[in-house]
PDB file of all heavy atoms in Angstrom:
ATOM      1  N   LEU P  32      26.599   2.924  -4.443  1.00 94.00           N
ATOM      2  CA  LEU P  32      25.636   3.101  -3.327  1.00 94.00           C
ATOM      3  C   LEU P  32      25.451   4.551  -2.983  1.00 94.00           C
ATOM      4  O   LEU P  32      25.124   4.876  -1.839  1.00 94.00           O
ATOM      5  CB  LEU P  32      26.128   2.313  -2.112  1.00 94.00           C
ATOM      6  CG  LEU P  32      26.108   0.780  -2.236  1.00 94.00           C
ATOM      7  CD1 LEU P  32      26.669   0.139  -0.984  1.00 94.00           C
ATOM      8  CD2 LEU P  32      24.693   0.301  -2.521  1.00 94.00           C
ATOM      9  N   LEU P  94      -4.355 -13.579 -22.941  1.00 98.00           N
ATOM     10  CA  LEU P  94      -3.376 -12.512 -22.822  1.00 98.00           C
ATOM     11  C   LEU P  94      -4.066 -11.174 -22.956  1.00 98.00           C
ATOM     12  O   LEU P  94      -4.969 -11.007 -23.782  1.00 98.00           O
ATOM     13  CB  LEU P  94      -2.359 -12.689 -23.954  1.00 98.00           C
ATOM     14  CG  LEU P  94      -0.944 -12.141 -23.752  1.00 98.00           C
ATOM     15  CD1 LEU P  94      -0.265 -12.824 -22.572  1.00 98.00           C
ATOM     16  CD2 LEU P  94      -0.120 -12.398 -25.046  1.00 98.00           C
ATOM     17  N   SER P 212      -4.307 -18.883 -25.840  1.00 96.00           N
ATOM     18  CA  SER P 212      -5.517 -19.235 -26.575  1.00 96.00           C
ATOM     19  C   SER P 212      -6.120 -17.993 -27.274  1.00 96.00           C
ATOM     20  O   SER P 212      -6.742 -18.129 -28.328  1.00 96.00           O
ATOM     21  CB  SER P 212      -6.553 -19.815 -25.641  1.00 96.00           C
ATOM     22  OG  SER P 212      -6.080 -21.033 -25.078  1.00 96.00           O
TER      23      SER P 212
END
Side-chain angles (χ1 to χ4, degrees):
L32 292 177
L94 206 61
S212 298

